[in-house]
């Protein structure tokens, strides 16, 4: 087991007592589960946690003076959206044991993939008079822990985010953009992200109505699925190691793309489709339209 070694003294783990994160639901509170299989990007997450810190011991064991200002900070990161940021912050002053209640609300539109929630006890202010072995920079971590929650809703086929394209490098009038990053061995939930332009009300509304789509919504969702499938298959074919006998890890991007390929081109070889895509892209595009059954909505 590896352990991170910091260049300064830190207190023992038991100076902080952190209760498990609780997920706030309509009926009350439940322990935060490992995964939310029914999550989608419309679902905001409301989390609560109680943390107790023995300030006197934390300072003494870190070699800090009795007036050193400490703070508790909560930071979140979502692998599906590649977003993150501070969730809550509490400055700790005085002595004795301080109890802090954290109440965090995270927008579903900002999430996706694996949600990581980090809680840390840090030095709140720079100490110019600190000993050589003591923390001195503001933000120096004295204690931390991390809990995770996998968000893998069935409504979207991969992580999604509703954003304003005018604030990005994407064309303002584009309706959506499928972002693919990482290698074929990377986790799918951290490699795919469908960005929907909130300014395109037709597309944004279609996803809002995904559970009970109207006729127009079904057509829009069909177009998005077809375009996403094309981008994913083209991305896969661009990798020479994307072959029938490739052994990609479960949950990896390669495994997801291989499954999609066999779903769309059952009985056909990857090499044949790769050659068709390179030599006759227009025919490949038509084959893909037929495979995804574009606009064949019930």
């Amino acid at each position: 087991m590896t352990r991170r070694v910091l260049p300064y003294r830190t207190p023992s783990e038991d100076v902080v007592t952190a209760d498990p994160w609780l997920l706030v639901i309509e009926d009350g509170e439940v322990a935060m589960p490992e995964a939310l299989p029914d999550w989608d990007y419309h679902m905001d997450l409301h989390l609560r946690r109680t943390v107790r810190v023995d300030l006197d011991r934390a300072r003494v064991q870190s070699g800090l003076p009795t007036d050193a200002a400490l703070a508790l900070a909560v930071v979140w990161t979502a692998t599906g959206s590649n977003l993150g940021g501070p969730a809550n912050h509490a400055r700790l002053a005085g002595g004795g044991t301080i109890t802090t209640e954290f109440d965090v609300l995270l927008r579903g539109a900002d999430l996706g993939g694996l949600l990581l929630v980090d809680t840390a006890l840090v030095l709140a202010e720079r100490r110019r008079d600190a000993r050589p072995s003591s923390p001195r920079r503001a933000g120096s971590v004295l204690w931390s822990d991390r809990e995770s929650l996998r968000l893998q809703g069935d409504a979207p086929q991969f992580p999604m985010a509703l954003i304003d394209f005018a604030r990005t490098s994407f064309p303002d009038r584009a309706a959506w953009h499928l972002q693919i990053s990482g290698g074929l061995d990377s986790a799918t939930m951290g490699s795919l992200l469908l960005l929907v332009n909130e300014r395109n009300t037709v597309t944004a509304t279609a996803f809002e109505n995904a559970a009970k789509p109207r006729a127009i919504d079904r057509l829009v969702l069909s177009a998005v699925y077809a375009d996403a499938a094309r981008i994913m298959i083209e991305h896969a074919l661009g990798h020479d190691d994307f072959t029938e006998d490739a052994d990609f890890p479960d949950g990896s991007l390669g495994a997801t793309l291989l499954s999609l390929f066999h779903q769309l081109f059952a009985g056909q070889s990857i090499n044949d489709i790769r050659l068709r895509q390179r030599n006759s892209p227009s025919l490949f595009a038509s084959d893909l339209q037929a495979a995804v059954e574009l606009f064949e909505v019930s």
Side-chain angles (χ1 to χ4, degrees):
M1 182 178 73
T2 60
R3 180 178 180 182
R4 183 177 62 170
V5 178
L6 298 171
Y8 50 80
R9 292 169 57 185
T10 57
S12 57
E13 291 287 323
D14 62 357
V15 302
V16 179
T17 303
D19 293 346
W21 280 104
L22 299 175
L23 178 65
V24 181
I25 58 177
E26 292 183 2
D27 298 332
E29 299 174 342
V30 297
M32 188 172 77
E34 294 183 358
L36 284 178
D38 297 326
W39 179 87
D40 64 45
Y41 77 103
H42 293 298
M43 184 186 298
D44 296 338
L45 294 183
H46 189 181
L47 305 175
R48 285 179 182 157
R49 187 185 209 183
T50 300
V51 180
R52 301 169 188 85
V53 181
D54 186 332
L55 295 179
D56 296 330
R57 291 178 59 216
R59 294 187 182 107
V60 169
Q61 294 179 15
S62 301
L64 293 169
T66 57
D67 63 344
L70 304 181
L72 278 171
V74 177
V75 178
W76 65 275
T77 307
T79 62
S81 63
N82 291 321
L83 297 177
N88 218 320
H89 179 275
R91 187 182 178 91
L92 309 178
T97 298
I98 300 294
T99 299
T100 303
E101 305 283 345
F102 286 113
D103 194 284
V104 175
L105 183 63
L106 302 177
R107 290 199 323 147
D110 294 333
L111 307 178
L114 187 66
L115 173 65
L116 304 174
V117 185
D118 292 290
T119 307
L121 176 67
V122 301
L123 185 63
E125 297 176 351
R126 179 177 176 83
R127 301 292 306 192
R128 300 185 182 278
D129 58 348
R131 302 171 186 173
S133 62
S134 301
R136 64 180 61 203
R137 296 185 177 182
S140 295
V141 177
L142 307 183
W143 170 94
S144 68
D145 83 342
R146 167 176 286 183
E147 292 197 27
S148 62
L149 173 63
R150 181 165 294 281
L151 305 172
Q152 47 189 38
D154 293 329
Q157 297 302 307
F158 28 72
M160 300 174 54
L162 186 67
I163 63 174
D164 184 355
F165 277 24
R167 299 180 180 179
T168 71
S169 59
F170 305 126
D172 293 4
R173 300 182 67 180
W176 62 82
H177 173 82
L178 180 63
Q179 183 172 295
I180 305 181
S181 60
L184 297 182
D185 288 334
S186 302
T188 300
M189 294 301 287
S191 301
L192 293 174
L193 176 63
L194 179 64
L195 300 171
V196 178
N197 188 359
E198 64 182 21
R199 293 195 174 208
N200 189 297
T201 55
V202 173
T203 305
T205 301
F207 279 98
E208 290 174 359
N209 297 335
K212 296 181 179 180
R214 304 164 300 168
I216 182 64
D217 299 326
R218 293 191 181 94
L219 294 175
V220 172
L221 295 174
S222 177
V224 175
Y225 173 71
D227 190 48
R230 175 189 60 79
I231 294 171
M232 293 170 68
I233 293 298
E234 288 180 345
H235 181 84
L237 296 176
H239 289 262
D240 292 336
D241 55 343
F242 183 76
T243 61
E244 278 91 356
D245 57 355
D247 185 18
F248 299 114
D250 291 341
S252 67
L253 177 62
T256 298
L257 295 176
L258 196 59
S259 175
L260 177 63
F261 179 89
H262 289 308
Q263 176 187 338
L264 298 178
F265 299 104
Q268 302 185 61
S269 74
I270 290 177
N271 190 54
D272 287 346
I273 298 300
R274 180 179 281 120
L275 291 174
R276 189 180 309 165
Q277 189 263 335
R278 292 176 179 175
N279 298 328
S280 183
S282 59
L283 178 58
F284 167 78
S286 297
D287 285 343
L288 196 57
Q289 283 184 22
V292 299
E293 300 180 349
L294 181 64
F295 297 146
E296 293 186 20
V297 296
S298 57

